[in-house]
Amino acid sequence: MKVLRYVIFWMALCLTFSQGYRILGVFAFQGKSHFIMFEALMKSLAKKGHQIDAITSFHLKKPLVNITELVVIPSQMKLVNNISYDQMRLILTGLPVRTVATLGGNEVCENLRLPEIQKLIHEPSKNPPYDVILMEIFGANCFAVIGHVLNVPVIGVSTSDLYPWHHHLIGNPENLAIFPNNLLKYSNGMNFWQRTYNVLTTIYNKIYFNHLTEYQDEQIRKYVGPNLPGVRELEKNISLILVNTYFSLNGIRPITQALIEVGGLHIQDDGTKISSELQKWLDESKDDFIYFSFGSMIKIESIPRHILDIFYKSFGKISPVNVLMKITNSEELPPGLPKNVRISSWLPQLKILKHRNLKAFITHGGLMGTQEAISYGVPMIGIPLFADQFINIDKYVRKNIAVKLDYENLSEDDMDAALNAILYNSTYREAARKLSQQFLDRPLKPIDTANFWIEYIVKYGKDALRSPAMDLNWWQVELLDVYAFLLLTSIVIVYITVHLTLMFLNMISSKVNIKVSRVKKIL
């Protein structure tokens, strides 16, 4: 019986691997929060029997047998736990389009010159050949050239909602009347002036991004080949985009079949262990605790002293409720930390967010972390700092699962009020639990959805989900030519009608005049 079990196990294993595809993952941007999703995707695909070759900026935490790290791109700018408050204001709070196009785009495309990537392009492995390429959709769409050279489908993966310059890649409908672009703070119910601003800024963002990233044409022809298409043409070959959204959280919208929502894909138990000391502290926080983290980039200890003093005083007031803070370098933290606050340079976030004693999450509003909190029904205090964090927190405030604070004008009274509301007003936790249930209620898990559509593209070809809108000009998609024709036709019809009416009236008038003149002659 034992032997039979082994035979069945190895037969099932062989069958699983024989059905697997060879996938190239290209995730070159040096954003740790982005890589969390990509790592979860690659590991899950590998567990399903696919062979993954990876070009990344980070080593996998726990590599699997059928994942090969082809290239781990050396860091040009250390972003993980290394961005101070002042650097954040200088680099990240500027025009986000420029940041994405340069820091997340053109600079990332320079990695095409790396010897390992050059070898992959010019001497690709054919035993077996690649079936599909997964690449990040952010600012460095130059990597779509690898799919062109290897003649395999390219599937995009976006860690956030689509930016204004992404929708056209797959012909996704973009209804600016009801759906603001994700760089604005508007809700779906926009008034006339907000809709006008939404249209103008979206058009500007697209034009500016395309202008800045035209440089990628030069990079492609310099590092890959002189006669290759430019980045705008290569973008049109993207077969599918897996996007980190889901309608229950992000709202109802028109989408094409080539946009697949897999929001929360990264929320998986990766087996990370929690220290016995921390576990004991969590379990013994019988009066509950609050978790405070600004993600993988911003150093809380670098925030101006007057803001840290507000945190210290407000946290001290809520004792015996404890506070768990993620602090990169405790030596940079000013003195005066209350006794009910515990600090640590690394924390297993998923384990903490699902702990029974956790009461709330203080966050900067990053999409990954807030999706994790929502999955476990945890209400939040949001202190957005840059990028899409503002619109994320505004969205959660409207759903009544978060309280928003303005870090530039933060006062002790504001902090006290937010803590008291999130700790003692049960409506926030009830709303968070309800949203959690709705967010997780799906026909398939996000990773299973992603796996299905990746395999679908491999089986049926890169154009299997191609939108007919891709073959039209933008004015045709917006029906401007039809509207212009109808308007012109209406004008012509009105003109002819008016002209004929005047002619008819003139004829009647002439006949009347003739009759009147005859009567006058008789008289």
Side-chain angles (χ1 to χ4, degrees):
M1 190 68 180
K2 191 175 181 180
V3 174
L4 181 60
R5 287 179 181 174
Y6 277 117
V7 170
I8 293 173
F9 170 77
W10 284 109
M11 286 178 66
L13 187 65
C14 292
L15 181 61
T16 300
F17 277 82
S18 67
Q19 292 177 335
Y21 296 118
R22 189 173 188 191
I23 300 172
L24 175 64
V26 183
F27 306 114
F29 176 61
Q30 294 175 351
K32 183 64 175 178
S33 60
H34 291 221
F35 185 70
I36 289 172
M37 179 178 177
F38 306 142
E39 181 178 30
L41 176 61
M42 288 189 290
K43 286 188 173 181
S44 296
L45 292 172
K47 289 177 181 178
K48 291 180 180 294
H50 302 299
Q51 179 183 343
I52 314 295
D53 292 346
I55 298 173
T56 71
S57 290
F58 301 94
H59 286 287
L60 299 174
K61 290 180 183 177
K62 297 177 181 178
L64 298 177
V65 174
N66 47 339
I67 297 184
T68 302
E69 293 181 340
L70 290 184
V71 187
V72 178
I73 296 170
S75 174
Q76 301 297 319
M77 178 180 179
K78 188 178 179 183
L79 298 177
V80 180
N81 294 330
N82 198 49
I83 300 296
S84 69
Y85 177 87
D86 292 334
Q87 287 174 321
M88 177 271 295
R89 290 178 60 86
L90 180 65
I91 299 173
L92 300 174
T93 59
L95 195 62
V97 181
R98 185 173 186 84
T99 302
V100 175
T102 54
L103 182 64
N106 299 344
E107 293 182 20
V108 177
C109 289
E110 285 297 319
N111 292 304
L112 285 170
R113 74 181 190 278
L114 295 178
E116 300 92 338
I117 297 180
Q118 286 289 302
K119 183 178 180 181
L120 171 69
I121 292 171
H122 299 294
E123 301 175 26
S125 173
K126 297 181 180 179
N127 187 28
Y130 289 109
D131 296 294
V132 67
I133 293 174
L134 305 180
M135 70 171 228
E136 178 174 15
I137 295 298
F138 189 52
N141 295 338
C142 59
F143 286 99
V145 71
I146 300 177
H148 177 80
V149 172
L150 301 185
N151 193 29
V152 295
V154 176
I155 292 176
V157 186
S158 177
T159 59
S160 66
D161 203 348
L162 295 188
Y163 285 99
W165 51 87
H166 288 155
H167 293 273
H168 75 281
L169 304 184
I170 52 174
N172 191 56
E174 189 179 16
N175 193 328
L176 298 176
I178 61 174
F179 202 73
N181 81 59
N182 69 333
L183 295 175
L184 299 179
K185 303 177 186 179
Y186 298 153
S187 62
N188 288 12
M190 295 180 287
N191 60 36
F192 172 78
W193 296 113
Q194 289 174 331
R195 284 185 281 117
T196 301
Y197 187 73
N198 186 34
V199 170
L200 293 177
T201 55
T202 299
I203 292 172
Y204 172 77
N205 288 337
K206 291 178 182 179
I207 293 173
Y208 191 39
F209 178 84
N210 288 343
H211 168 69
L212 292 173
T213 54
E214 283 178 359
Y215 176 62
Q216 294 181 21
D217 292 353
E218 297 179 28
Q219 294 171 300
I220 289 168
R221 286 155 190 163
K222 177 180 178 181
Y223 298 126
V224 184
N227 300 316
L228 291 170
V231 67
R232 300 285 87 86
E233 274 301 309
L234 292 169
E235 289 174 340
K236 295 179 182 178
N237 292 328
I238 293 173
S239 303
L240 171 75
I241 296 179
L242 304 172
V243 61
N244 189 27
T245 62
Y246 198 62
F247 73 89
S248 59
L249 181 59
N250 298 87
I252 305 299
R253 69 187 80 184
I255 59 174
T256 179
Q257 277 80 5
L259 184 67
I260 305 299
E261 293 192 302
V262 292
L265 178 148
H266 68 289
I267 305 172
Q268 303 175 38
D269 187 356
D270 60 359
T272 301
K273 301 296 183 183
I274 191 168
S275 69
S276 57
E277 183 185 1
L278 178 58
Q279 186 68 58
K280 183 174 183 292
W281 185 88
L282 297 175
D283 294 341
E284 292 179 352
S285 295
K286 299 300 183 183
D287 294 295
D288 300 322
F289 71 95
I290 291 175
Y291 174 49
F292 183 9
S293 172
F294 275 172
S296 62
M297 294 172 61
I298 304 300
K299 298 168 66 177
I300 293 177
E301 59 269 33
S302 70
I303 290 175
R305 178 63 190 266
H306 74 277
I307 297 180
L308 288 176
D309 285 340
I310 290 173
F311 291 154
Y312 285 10
K313 292 176 183 177
S314 294
F315 291 161
K317 292 176 187 176
I318 63 173
S319 181
V321 176
N322 289 328
V323 179
L324 180 62
M325 290 179 65
K326 178 181 175 293
I327 298 294
T328 303
N329 188 348
S330 59
E331 295 179 358
E332 296 180 16
L333 199 64
L337 197 68
K339 293 182 179 179
N340 64 323
V341 178
R342 177 189 175 105
I343 61 174
S344 178
S345 60
W346 178 86
L347 292 165
Q349 186 156 289
L350 285 180
K351 292 283 195 303
I352 292 167
L353 287 173
K354 67 179 182 180
H355 195 278
R356 64 182 181 277
N357 291 335
L358 178 65
K359 197 71 172 180
F361 179 30
I362 302 177
T363 172
H364 62 320
L367 185 58
M368 299 293 184
T370 55
Q371 283 181 338
E372 292 167 6
I374 289 167
S375 292
Y376 294 116
V378 179
M380 293 171 274
I381 295 176
I383 310 176
L385 303 176
F386 58 88
D388 65 344
Q389 296 164 9
F390 292 93
I391 194 172
N392 291 342
I393 295 300
D394 286 341
K395 188 185 305 172
Y396 304 148
V397 169
R398 289 193 296 272
K399 291 183 178 294
N400 207 30
I401 64 168
V403 177
K404 181 182 179 182
L405 294 174
D406 181 359
Y407 74 93
E408 289 188 336
N409 300 297
L410 185 64
S411 70
E412 188 176 339
D413 288 342
D414 292 336
M415 193 72 215
D416 290 344
L419 287 168
N420 286 324
I422 212 74
L423 286 172
Y424 305 116
N425 188 340
S426 61
T427 58
Y428 291 101
R429 179 162 290 273
E430 290 169 4
R433 286 174 177 167
K434 184 177 179 180
L435 183 59
S436 172
Q437 183 179 11
Q438 191 176 4
F439 184 61
L440 298 175
D441 193 1
R442 315 185 193 190
L444 285 175
K445 291 182 179 179
I447 184 57
D448 295 327
T449 300
N451 184 70
F452 174 85
W453 288 108
I454 290 170
E455 292 182 352
Y456 187 93
I457 291 296
V458 175
K459 287 187 286 189
Y460 301 113
K462 65 180 183 179
D463 293 331
L465 299 175
R466 181 181 174 85
S467 169
M470 298 293 291
D471 300 318
L472 299 177
N473 294 308
W474 68 269
W475 63 83
Q476 293 172 312
V477 173
E478 299 296 334
L479 292 176
L480 295 184
D481 52 345
V482 174
Y483 296 145
F485 171 76
L486 293 176
L487 179 61
L488 181 61
T489 302
S490 299
I491 292 172
V492 170
I493 290 173
V494 170
Y495 174 80
I496 292 174
T497 302
V498 171
H499 188 68
L500 290 175
T501 301
L502 291 174
M503 287 178 60
F504 180 70
L505 292 174
N506 287 334
M507 289 174 60
I508 292 175
S509 178
S510 298
K511 289 181 179 181
V512 169
N513 289 335
I514 292 172
K515 289 181 179 180
V516 169
S517 62
R518 286 178 180 177
V519 170
K520 286 182 178 180
K521 287 181 180 180
I522 293 173
L523 293 174

